[in-house]
Amino acid sequence: MKANNGSGNNESRDSWETPQWLFSELHKQFKFELDCCASGENTKCTDYHDNFLVFENPMKKIAWMNPPFSKALEMFKHFFKVVKKGVAIYRCDNFETKIWQQIIFPNASWVFIPNKRIAYEGMNGSGSRFPSALI
């Protein structure tokens, strides 16, 4: 069996949206104020940004991030730099990748892996072939 080398972070998965049921459950606890990686068509919050990388100063808003897969590494680097309180979701099919070893694990205060795979909106009705983690 061939191991996953992180090559699944491709543009074809950039449009996968957070399922509303999952966001609603998390929002009850965290009260998100900003959707970091969204457009007007897919945002989960009233306040959103379609170019999150322009933020330079630490944010005071509670943020949600479902990064575009093709830009996940740079988005997570930036998330940990400017977000002081927030939650992100990301694939967790290989913890040996650079993004997990060098960015997420050293910076995350917690990681939660749900007991089922998340079916993202925009997947054409199919479930994800990899598990996701909340960070």
Side-chain angles (χ1 to χ4, degrees):
M1 185 167 139
K2 185 177 180 182
N4 181 342
N5 62 3
S7 62
N9 288 347
N10 58 61
E11 289 183 12
S12 69
R13 295 179 176 150
D14 283 358
S15 62
W16 289 4
E17 295 179 37
T18 306
Q20 188 59 52
W21 69 266
L22 176 61
F23 181 82
S24 295
E25 283 298 312
L26 293 168
H27 183 63
K28 286 179 193 175
Q29 180 178 356
F30 295 99
K31 308 290 188 237
F32 299 114
E33 301 168 286
L34 174 71
D35 192 339
C36 294
C37 302
S39 68
E41 293 79 38
N42 69 8
T43 186
K44 301 297 182 192
C45 298
T46 305
D47 194 4
Y48 67 93
H49 215 284
D50 61 359
N51 189 4
F52 174 59
L53 299 176
V54 301
F55 285 98
E56 294 183 15
N57 297 315
M59 305 174 83
K60 294 180 180 173
K61 294 184 177 186
I62 302 169
W64 166 254
M65 184 175 79
N66 177 1
F69 280 111
S70 68
K71 298 176 183 171
L73 183 69
E74 64 187 314
M75 291 296 183
F76 269 100
K77 281 182 183 178
H78 201 65
F79 183 82
F80 288 118
K81 178 181 172 186
V82 301
V83 172
K84 296 305 168 204
K85 187 171 182 182
V87 177
I89 190 168
Y90 187 61
R91 58 188 290 180
C92 62
D93 52 343
N94 185 350
F95 291 122
E96 295 174 344
T97 57
K98 180 178 180 179
I99 191 169
W100 279 100
Q101 291 297 313
Q102 295 179 13
I103 308 301
I104 295 173
F105 284 140
N107 292 290
S109 57
W110 58 268
V111 174
F112 174 77
I113 302 170
N115 65 357
K116 63 180 182 178
R117 293 183 180 192
I118 305 298
Y120 292 86
E121 295 174 15
M123 294 180 64
N124 300 323
S126 63
S128 177
R129 61 181 199 152
F130 48 80
S132 297
L134 297 170
I135 302 152

